[in-house]
Amino acid sequence: MSKKDIKDPSGKVVMQVVEYDGFLFPFNYTGNIEKHLKQLKYMSFKDGDVCVISYPKSGTHWCYEVVSMLRNNSSEYHDTMPPLIELFPVDKLQQVSDGVYVSHMVPRLMPNDFMARKCKLINIYRNPKDVAVSYFNFVKKTRAGEMMKDMEFDVYFNLFWTGQLRCCPWTKYINEWANYKEENPSHPLLNLCYEDMKKDLMTHVKQIADFLDLDTSDELITEIANKCEFKAMSAYKNSNIPESLSIVTDLKDEHIFYWKGGAGNWKNWLKVAQSEAVDAAVEAAKIPLEIKYT
């Protein structure tokens, strides 16, 4: 484990991260990540537990809300932060009553017991161009990105796309989970495309309910789909800021995890050369999922 200073082209430090087993964690709020990950390795889970996995800014909170509503048989919103496995202390994770977790980690870093039990995984993935834009507008509001507040998008894009700011390069992350599924075909893993969910949320709510083996009524599926449309959910979340959000940001007047929630906004940000660089990298990575640029 080592702390790394991430620098812009001028040599200015713009972020500090902790590298563990080739994976980057934000330094500001991870604490002793090595100790935490070792504790996670020995944490016990239940067979019915489920985890929403995703690259950051790919619809994690949105998908979690749907999954947790389904598991709790209720369309009520949640007023707490989703239990992020790599961030929440183990004693807090053990108090999660509905067994629904979230994580941005790759398979090799996931808790041993969770993976050995073949607990269900729901992987939501998103057009990486929109991921880049969403992360740019998000990270500058966080403690981890406080040194990036004045950074221009072009500088940020190079750092992001080469995987220097968080996790690992986007293509590597997506393929690590794809390879895991190929090597472990019996592990239940549902891939969900963010852009498809935006077009037809109700169908995807039903798909998730079926994947979780839940006998959910059509009425509740409709309620959940309506409550989780981004405009409705964002309005509620920004009016009910959870106290636990202070782990990530000093901002008190907005829920920074809910920005625009759209698809195709990358066209207002990426230059042609940047867009083509993403296209080339995705093609070279031979990702076995359909990426929809919209």
Side-chain angles (χ1 to χ4, degrees):
M1 182 184 75
S2 60
K3 185 174 78 170
K4 297 179 62 175
D5 288 337
I6 306 303
K7 301 178 181 179
D8 67 11
S10 72
K12 175 187 174 184
V13 175
V14 294
M15 180 176 279
Q16 292 182 313
V17 297
V18 175
E19 182 175 0
Y20 182 87
D21 194 11
F23 198 83
L24 301 181
F25 298 89
F27 174 73
N28 297 58
Y29 60 85
T30 53
N32 188 328
I33 190 63
E34 183 175 23
K35 179 180 177 181
H36 179 62
L37 291 177
K38 286 180 178 178
Q39 290 176 337
L40 280 179
K41 289 294 183 184
Y42 299 102
M43 178 179 165
S44 297
F45 291 83
K46 300 184 292 292
D47 289 339
D49 289 346
V50 58
C51 186
V52 175
I53 54 172
S54 71
Y55 197 86
K57 308 311 297 175
S58 298
T60 318
H61 285 240
W62 179 38
C63 190
Y64 166 81
E65 196 77 25
V66 172
V67 174
S68 193
M69 283 182 175
L70 286 168
R71 284 291 294 266
N72 288 288
N73 199 38
S74 168
S75 61
E76 294 299 313
Y77 292 117
H78 295 83
D79 292 329
T80 58
M81 285 276 287
L84 185 65
I85 288 179
E86 57 266 36
L87 174 59
F88 277 43
V90 169
D91 62 331
K92 297 294 184 184
L93 293 173
Q94 291 173 329
Q95 295 172 23
V96 174
S97 58
D98 62 3
V100 182
Y101 303 87
V102 297
S103 180
H104 300 310
M105 293 192 295
V106 288
R108 68 178 182 276
L109 297 179
M110 290 289 287
N112 289 344
D113 193 53
F114 186 96
M115 303 302 274
R117 288 178 181 273
K118 291 186 170 61
C119 294
K120 292 183 176 180
L121 296 158
I122 297 177
N123 173 32
I124 181 166
Y125 67 95
R126 184 184 189 185
N127 161 15
K129 299 176 186 180
D130 273 332
V131 170
V133 172
S134 183
Y135 191 73
F136 174 70
N137 286 279
F138 164 78
V139 72
K140 294 198 292 183
K141 300 174 183 177
T142 68
R143 289 203 184 94
E146 61 185 356
M147 293 181 285
M148 297 173 58
K149 289 180 179 178
D150 299 322
M151 181 179 287
E152 297 293 328
F153 181 78
D154 289 351
V155 174
Y156 152 85
F157 179 81
N158 291 330
L159 294 172
F160 171 84
W161 193 242
T162 53
Q164 296 185 61
L165 300 179
R166 179 78 183 270
C167 296
C168 57
W170 183 88
T171 51
K172 187 175 188 298
Y173 180 92
I174 298 297
N175 269 339
E176 285 208 36
W177 277 109
N179 292 338
Y180 174 81
K181 178 58 179 174
E182 183 178 351
E183 295 166 3
N184 301 272
S186 64
H187 197 142
L189 189 158
L190 175 66
N191 289 311
L192 298 175
C193 173
Y194 178 98
E195 289 73 24
D196 285 344
M197 284 186 69
K198 289 289 296 182
K199 288 181 179 178
D200 186 359
L201 182 55
M202 192 174 303
T203 294
H204 284 79
V205 173
K206 179 67 167 75
Q207 183 182 8
I208 294 170
D210 290 343
F211 176 71
L212 297 177
D213 298 317
L214 299 173
D215 186 19
T216 310
S217 69
D218 291 340
E219 290 77 13
L220 182 56
I221 285 174
T222 299
E223 288 178 21
I224 292 174
N226 289 337
K227 293 285 283 290
C228 290
E229 287 293 346
F230 187 81
K231 185 176 181 180
M233 189 170 67
S234 177
Y236 176 86
K237 296 293 183 177
N238 280 294
S239 298
N240 297 270
I241 310 296
E243 189 174 319
S244 54
L245 196 63
S246 61
I247 299 172
V248 180
T249 181
D250 291 324
L251 294 180
K252 307 290 186 183
D253 58 348
E254 67 174 302
H255 199 306
I256 64 171
F257 286 94
Y258 296 86
W259 186 48
K260 291 187 180 239
N265 192 34
W266 64 270
K267 296 172 186 175
N268 300 316
W269 292 81
L270 270 70
K271 294 179 178 177
V272 172
Q274 292 168 335
S275 177
E276 290 178 345
V278 173
D279 293 341
V282 171
E283 182 177 358
K286 298 185 178 358
I287 293 170
L289 297 171
E290 184 180 4
I291 310 302
K292 300 188 176 180
Y293 295 112
T294 61

